[in-house]
Amino acid sequence: MPAALTRHRRRVLPLLAVVAALVAGQFAATRATAQSALLSQGRPTTASSTENAGTPASAATDGSTSTRWSSAFGDPQWLQVDLGATATVDRVSLVWEGAYATAFQVQTSADGAAWTTVHTTTGGTGGTQHLAVTGTGRYVRLLGTARATGYGYSLWEFQVYGTPGGPPPASTPISQYKQVAASSWEGGNAPAAALDGRTNSRWSSQFADDQWIRVDFGGVAVVNQVVLTWEGAYARGYRVELSNDATTWTQVYATTTGAGGVERLTVSGSGRYLRLFATTRATGYGVSLWELQVFGTVDSSATTPPLLSRPTRAPANTGRFALTAPADQAMVTGTRRPAFSWASSPGAVRYQVWLNLSRSDYDFAASGNLLDLYTKVAETTATTYTPTWDVADRWTYRWFVVAVDGAGATSASTIRTFSLYRPTLSTADDGIRVVNGSRDLNRNGAVEPYEDWRQPVETRVNDLVGRMTVEEKAYQLFYNAQAFPRSGWHFGPAEAQDLHNALLASSGTRLGIPFVSAGDTIAGYKTTYPLQSALAAAKNYPLAHKLGDVQRREQLEVGTRGVLGPLAEVGTKVLYPRIQEGNGESADVASAQVRALVTGLQGGPELNPASVLATVKHWPGEGAGGEAVIVFDEVTVKYHTAPFRAAMEAGAVNIMPGYAGSTLLDPGGPGAGDSAKILAYLRQNLGYTGLITTDWLPSGSWIGAANAGSDVMGGADPGAPGFSMAQFTAAVPAARIDDAVRRVLRIKFKLGVFENPYGDPVNGPYRFHKPEYAALANQASREAMTVLRNNGVLPLRLNPGDNVVVAGPRADDTAACCIWTSYFHQEYGSRTMYQAIRDRGAQAGVNVHKDTGPSPKLAVVAVGETSYTHATNWVKEQPYLPPDQLALIRDFKSRGIPVVVALVLPRPYVITEWHELADAIVVTYRGGEEMGPALASLLFGDYAPSGKLPWQLPRALSDVLRPGGTDVPADATEAWDLPYDLGATAAQRAEIRARIDAGQPLPTNYGNPLYPYGAGLTGW
């Protein structure tokens, strides 16, 4: 029998025994030491060696008995966990795989260097061992000195229990997640793996000496410590160097006797860059680091503008004196610190300089163009000002100066506009040379106007359009750049290297025009945050902006520059399946959220070279009817299009029409994407001048959509059966194609993709899902959680040793948090509701069982629909729990067990039949990947609830449909286009319409719902 099979077979029966022992032992140990918290789970873990990539050190502290750490086949070996802060340790549990230790020590340390032994044995028995210990330290280590088998040491779990305490942990390394470069790397072990804070990923070089890894701090850093966590392939000889330009280096540490393991180096120096240069390897392999951590401080003043005021509008009266430089409409390309100057104002003793910087703290609930909000950036007695900080790339900077006289009276200058663009060109190996400071995209050895980034955008657009054939123009209006490199658009999301390969292919086309990749990642790119309806329950618009910004940063890492979101829909039709993706019933909330998300995604209130292009959808507001027909009229159209106006005020330049037609805008006409009248309303009534991208239409609709006024055929494949580009160019007038392609190219030039089409497919993925990103997703889910009912059962007041059952179809459902365009990230530690409640219960000594358990003191029943998008899990005309889910609630209640219902609520349900059976009801919505941990924290009282329902909940199905009715207007008893009208009288509906027509504030207490809009308990 092959050795691998023998080894696998050897472990099957011991594994079953281990798991059984673990279950029994964990319950007993939890009851015995209930006040002791599990401190090690998920903490950074390192080891002397690993058997292979599938058995990393981190597997022993991940809380899973299906993953393990195993060492190399030799003595001694160690496994070490960093608890993050000094703790009092009272117990260590070891869950051995078959390859256990007969002799080992447990040790603690304050610094990871000097160790104190708190347990030792030479008679280890394997299996599951619960060791009572007494000690303190930030680091806990298992040191194996004698193996029981010929294999190495192997642990399913290494658990450290105790009480946190002592000094706070060391500051976050200034190197973490920073830009990185290296002399080489081997396999998938990219340089950024050494900076990602994860001990199961590493950088390894090629098998040669003189290898280096370089960190860019983004500003000048003062460095005081470097921590090297080596994998087995370490360096004996190396030096640490600092530099301000990555060219001239100053040595701050050197050794020829490196010992591997964890090395803590005290250094002193400053520089923007740090380089570890390995001169002598200790093994025949390369050099390999689990982590390179640099500690110190970074001076960010060179890239941080002073914010000396809140964002504010310009004075009513301007033009009292003149500005001189930069010239009006100037394009600044030579510096990031342009000199501002102005004429003196009689009597002025000082001047204030105001600039419309991009901010993250706008009042997103206020109407008005965000580009018209200014920040005071300087006060001076001179008539000149030169920033000491770098001005970011933007196309519409506006500025003015306020003169202040001795009495404090003010007068304002004229207002001028300039743009600033100073790119660092991509250096990918794509065959495109840099000629006179620009990328020679058509490879002719000269710089054409469209290639010259110093030229105004319109100059570049005009030049490029003049060089394109009609077929090349038409391709820019289509997707599927994966197969057709001349296409203007790529349907994402794609894996980083696949996307990069497609971008390389587009660079090889005749004119080298890059595409934009956009996908339906409407709730985050890699870090999944709650859907917009859940965000509407929280109404934390600055947080929504931060979530959009997280998505922007993650997408920029790998060069995907577009997203098919956010939604600007107000959800007033209960039976619309995609109401979950919208913003609830309030047009005001929807407008604020859209402003926040657009500015987060685009990095400010204007598309710029650091933006991800937002695609606002689905025009003209499918929440007023759904994907079949939009039923708003001449009054309620104002309500449903308000968020689209808000998106434009926030700088959105791409809008997607939906599938539905409008009985008002185009009676009897087609869906919005190929309706000339619906698109004309957007252009003429809202004054929209940006791009229009259709939703995914069949090939037979593309020509009609283009002729109706759509610019980009969403998802359209030039290679579709029965379609040819010749058909398209013959049937769509040349002027219409030119009009559309100009909009496409204008956006691409403003995105800067001609200069920087690529991301970093090697290192970028290691900067996904940073802890601070997950923390924001967790905060959003916490703030959305809505407690509709609580008879005192929450927060949980349980004793150590008590049992809790978590049951229901959504309890351990990894899809319930999200829809098909967003993901549950188990590889990053995402946990279901059951898993999170189990882990939080363990901290309190509470036993949490799935589905059933002995003498439960409480049942958490997780119900609702799992993931869906265009269609509901069960018949949409039945917006209530199915019998099997209702039976679960009734069963626990009938046994006298208090019931907390965790309600996944993607759409308004009728819950009248059972809501009084529940001792508590917590609405989770589609809460993103942190939905489980957020719920667990709420149940145990780690925070108080604050979320409010974004919709009314019907008292009865008759508030929505006539008896036996279907999802058609004739059977509806709610007005699909009106908010807050479930169970409303005719007089109330007339009042709602009158207020909308008059532009008056709209109360939310109409109708007779079971739970009104805004319901939800605040605090305990």
Side-chain angles (χ1 to χ4, degrees):
M1 182 177 290
L5 289 179
T6 302
R7 182 162 165 76
H8 177 73
R9 181 180 177 185
R10 179 175 63 83
R11 288 177 170 165
V12 172
L13 292 177
L15 171 59
L16 296 176
V18 165
V19 172
L22 172 67
V23 172
Q26 283 294 90
F27 291 158
T30 300
R31 286 192 290 268
T33 57
Q35 299 306 311
S36 178
L38 177 60
L39 306 176
S40 54
Q41 191 157 304
R43 298 300 307 169
T45 307
T46 54
S48 53
S49 65
T50 56
E51 180 183 358
N52 56 57
T55 58
S58 60
T61 54
D62 64 359
S64 171
T65 56
S66 62
T67 61
R68 63 187 177 90
W69 163 67
S70 62
S71 75
F73 301 173
D75 293 317
Q77 301 288 341
W78 54 262
L79 180 73
Q80 169 184 318
V81 61
D82 177 357
L83 304 180
T86 298
T88 300
V89 178
D90 56 40
R91 179 163 54 96
V92 171
S93 293
L94 306 175
V95 184
W96 293 100
E97 194 257 357
Y100 65 95
T102 56
F104 63 87
Q105 300 169 29
V106 177
Q107 302 171 316
T108 61
S109 173
D111 57 6
W115 294 92
T116 299
T117 298
V118 295
H119 178 88
T120 185
T121 184
T122 57
T125 58
T128 299
Q129 295 178 271
H130 299 297
L131 312 176
V133 301
T134 301
T136 60
R138 171 173 172 168
Y139 302 88
V140 180
R141 181 168 75 173
L142 171 77
L143 177 62
T145 55
R147 293 166 290 146
T149 73
Y151 300 102
Y153 298 90
S154 184
L155 280 168
W156 295 108
E157 281 296 293
F158 175 41
Q159 297 175 316
V160 180
Y161 292 83
T163 305
S171 60
T172 300
I174 60 174
S175 51
Q176 193 160 307
Y177 297 110
K178 291 297 192 291
Q179 295 296 311
V180 62
S183 53
S184 65
W185 60 92
E186 166 271 319
N189 301 310
L195 306 179
D196 66 355
R198 302 177 181 112
T199 55
N200 61 351
S201 64
R202 61 187 174 94
W203 165 64
S204 62
S205 75
Q206 295 294 324
F207 301 172
D209 287 329
D210 294 338
Q211 300 289 333
W212 53 264
I213 183 170
R214 184 184 72 210
V215 183
D216 178 358
F217 301 117
V220 176
V222 176
V223 178
N224 54 46
Q225 186 185 41
V226 175
V227 179
L228 307 175
T229 305
W230 295 100
E231 195 254 357
Y234 65 97
R236 290 200 187 280
Y238 62 88
R239 60 181 184 263
V240 179
E241 304 167 317
L242 291 165
S243 173
N244 283 321
D245 58 8
T247 300
T248 303
W249 295 92
T250 300
Q251 181 176 294
V252 294
Y253 182 88
T255 185
T256 58
T257 58
V262 178
E263 297 186 276
R264 301 176 187 278
L265 315 177
T266 300
V267 302
S268 179
S270 65
R272 173 168 174 163
Y273 303 89
L274 180 140
R275 182 171 70 177
L276 173 74
F277 198 107
T279 55
T280 309
R281 293 166 292 148
T283 73
Y285 299 101
V287 291
S288 182
L289 281 167
W290 292 110
E291 283 294 299
L292 165 61
Q293 295 175 306
V294 183
F295 294 88
T297 58
V298 178
D299 182 1
S300 60
S301 61
T303 55
T304 305
L307 306 179
L308 305 181
S309 72
R310 293 281 301 166
T312 188
R313 306 231 169 250
N317 296 314
T318 58
R320 301 298 181 86
F321 56 98
L323 305 176
T324 55
D328 198 26
Q329 304 297 322
M331 185 172 178
V332 177
T333 60
T335 179
R336 288 201 173 279
R337 300 183 180 186
F340 296 89
S341 62
W342 53 91
S344 61
S345 177
V349 296
R350 56 189 171 91
Y351 297 93
Q352 302 170 345
V353 182
W354 293 76
L355 182 64
N356 66 338
L357 293 172
S358 295
R359 301 284 295 259
S360 60
D361 58 348
Y362 296 115
D363 180 359
F364 295 106
S367 61
N369 193 328
L370 295 181
L371 272 177
D372 292 333
L373 294 176
Y374 296 82
T375 299
K376 183 170 66 173
V377 296
E379 293 212 26
T380 178
T381 58
T383 56
T384 62
Y385 168 67
T386 300
T388 58
W389 44 278
D390 293 341
V391 179
D393 291 334
R394 273 264 304 275
W395 303 106
T396 311
Y397 276 114
R398 296 174 182 151
W399 68 290
F400 63 89
V401 174
V402 171
V404 184
D405 66 18
T410 61
S411 60
S413 72
T414 55
I415 298 177
R416 273 190 171 179
T417 302
F418 69 94
S419 61
L420 188 147
Y421 189 37
R422 190 173 172 81
T424 300
L425 304 183
S426 283
T427 57
D429 186 14
D430 59 3
I432 293 178
R433 296 180 301 156
V434 175
V435 176
N436 295 330
S438 292
R439 282 166 51 85
D440 181 17
L441 298 167
N442 64 2
R443 296 175 169 82
N444 70 349
V447 177
E448 315 294 355
Y450 86 92
E451 298 167 334
D452 186 357
W453 54 268
R454 300 168 184 85
Q455 297 296 322
V457 167
E458 289 306 310
T459 299
R460 300 180 74 182
V461 170
N462 291 336
D463 178 71
L464 183 51
V465 169
R467 296 173 187 275
M468 298 172 74
T469 67
V470 66
E471 186 178 68
E472 287 170 328
K473 294 174 184 176
Y475 267 107
Q476 285 297 305
L477 314 184
F478 281 75
Y479 268 72
N480 201 12
Q482 292 95 318
F484 297 88
R486 288 190 294 172
S487 291
W489 303 83
H490 171 282
F491 182 53
E495 293 302 316
Q497 192 60 55
D498 292 339
L499 174 62
H500 189 71
N501 293 341
L503 284 165
L504 289 173
S506 73
S507 73
T509 58
R510 186 178 76 92
L511 295 169
I513 303 173
F515 61 74
V516 171
S517 178
D520 274 307
T521 49
I522 63 170
Y525 184 62
K526 292 297 182 179
T527 302
T528 301
Y529 51 81
L531 286 187
Q532 285 177 230
S533 55
L535 296 181
K539 297 183 182 66
N540 185 338
Y541 310 128
L543 177 59
H545 172 91
K546 291 177 183 178
L547 295 170
D549 182 65
V550 164
Q551 181 166 351
R552 178 182 70 90
R553 293 173 186 273
E554 289 190 333
Q555 291 195 212
L556 289 177
E557 291 288 357
V558 292
T560 176
R561 300 300 301 276
V563 58
L564 304 177
L567 277 79
E569 293 180 2
V570 188
T572 56
K573 179 193 172 188
V574 168
L575 297 184
Y576 178 33
R578 299 185 74 175
I579 195 173
Q580 63 177 338
E581 300 172 46
N583 302 277
E585 286 188 79
S586 169
D588 291 336
V589 170
S591 296
Q593 286 200 164
V594 170
R595 289 188 190 97
L597 288 167
V598 167
T599 55
L601 289 165
Q602 298 193 166
E606 179 185 46
L607 198 70
N608 65 75
S611 291
V612 163
L613 174 67
T615 305
V616 180
K617 59 187 189 183
H618 298 94
W619 172 258
E622 289 183 347
E627 294 180 324
V629 59
I630 297 170
V631 300
F632 54 53
D633 56 25
E634 67 281 352
V635 171
T636 52
V637 66
K638 302 175 185 179
Y639 193 79
H640 286 273
T641 57
F644 290 93
R645 295 181 186 272
M648 293 165 56
E649 292 174 344
V653 289
N654 193 14
I655 289 179
M656 176 180 283
Y659 293 122
S662 167
T663 56
L664 171 69
L665 304 182
D666 190 0
D674 45 4
S675 165
K677 293 179 180 179
I678 293 174
L679 301 184
Y681 189 93
L682 176 62
R683 297 266 187 227
Q684 296 166 12
N685 291 63
L686 272 69
Y688 178 67
T689 60
L691 197 69
I692 295 176
T693 298
T694 73
D695 211 328
W696 273 215
L697 296 174
S699 59
S701 298
W702 297 341
I703 289 171
N707 284 328
S710 290
D711 301 310
V712 174
M713 309 304 109
D717 179 3
F723 175 82
S724 72
M725 203 59 78
Q727 294 172 337
F728 186 83
T729 56
V732 181
R736 174 78 270 272
I737 292 176
D738 275 6
D739 178 50
V741 79
R742 284 179 180 277
R743 289 195 179 93
V744 170
L745 296 177
R746 188 175 295 121
I747 279 175
K748 291 184 177 183
F749 283 123
K750 288 187 174 183
L751 283 171
V753 294
F754 285 83
E755 287 67 59
N756 284 292
Y758 310 109
D760 183 347
V762 173
N763 295 301
Y766 289 92
R767 293 187 284 266
F768 293 154
H769 214 277
K770 299 178 184 179
E772 59 263 37
Y773 295 172
L776 288 172
N778 184 278
Q779 179 187 350
S781 190
R782 285 183 175 212
E783 293 185 6
M785 293 275 165
T786 303
V787 177
L788 290 181
R789 178 181 175 85
N790 181 24
N791 68 1
V793 71
L794 296 180
L796 300 182
R797 298 175 180 86
L798 300 170
N799 297 315
D802 283 348
N803 294 312
V804 169
V805 168
V806 180
R810 305 289 77 82
D812 208 24
D813 181 1
T814 60
C817 64
C818 312
I819 59 172
W820 69 279
T821 61
S822 52
Y823 306 98
F824 180 86
H825 291 288
Q826 287 176 302
E827 70 274 25
Y828 291 130
S830 293
R831 289 171 290 165
T832 62
M833 288 188 271
Y834 160 67
Q835 292 166 344
I837 295 169
R838 176 200 63 196
D839 294 346
R840 180 60 183 84
Q843 294 178 27
V846 172
N847 305 313
V848 176
H849 307 270
K850 185 178 177 183
D851 297 330
T852 187
S855 303
K857 295 295 180 69
L858 180 90
V860 178
V861 182
V863 294
E865 291 170 276
T866 192
S867 182
Y868 70 75
T869 296
H870 290 272
T872 53
N873 280 168
W874 51 78
V875 179
K876 65 178 179 295
E877 288 89 352
Q878 297 174 1
Y880 44 81
L881 295 183
D884 59 329
Q885 296 190 21
L886 181 57
L888 276 173
I889 299 171
R890 286 177 168 160
D891 176 63
F892 283 108
K893 190 66 176 178
S894 68
R895 289 188 278 151
I897 300 169
V899 176
V900 175
V901 174
L903 180 61
V904 175
L905 190 69
R907 54 185 176 132
Y909 286 168
V910 179
I911 66 173
T912 306
E913 186 176 7
W914 59 265
H915 78 115
E916 290 185 348
L917 295 177
D919 295 274
I921 300 173
V922 181
V923 181
T924 70
Y925 309 100
R926 294 258 188 255
E929 65 181 75
E930 285 291 309
M931 181 175 78
L935 173 66
S937 296
L938 176 69
L939 297 180
F940 281 89
D942 298 336
Y943 70 98
S946 60
K948 307 297 179 186
L949 271 180
W951 317 287
Q952 295 176 318
L953 294 192
R955 186 171 294 277
L957 183 59
S958 59
D959 292 342
V960 178
L961 277 179
R962 302 181 193 281
T966 60
D967 183 22
V968 294
D971 287 342
T973 56
E974 63 161 333
W976 283 359
D977 58 334
L978 286 182
Y980 321 127
D981 78 317
L982 293 181
T985 64
Q988 287 178 317
R989 287 182 172 139
E991 184 177 336
I992 294 171
R993 288 176 50 81
R995 285 183 172 273
I996 291 172
D997 198 24
Q1000 296 174 343
L1002 195 58
T1004 61
N1005 58 351
Y1006 295 103
N1008 185 34
L1010 179 68
Y1011 286 95
Y1013 175 92
L1017 303 179
T1018 300
W1020 297 119

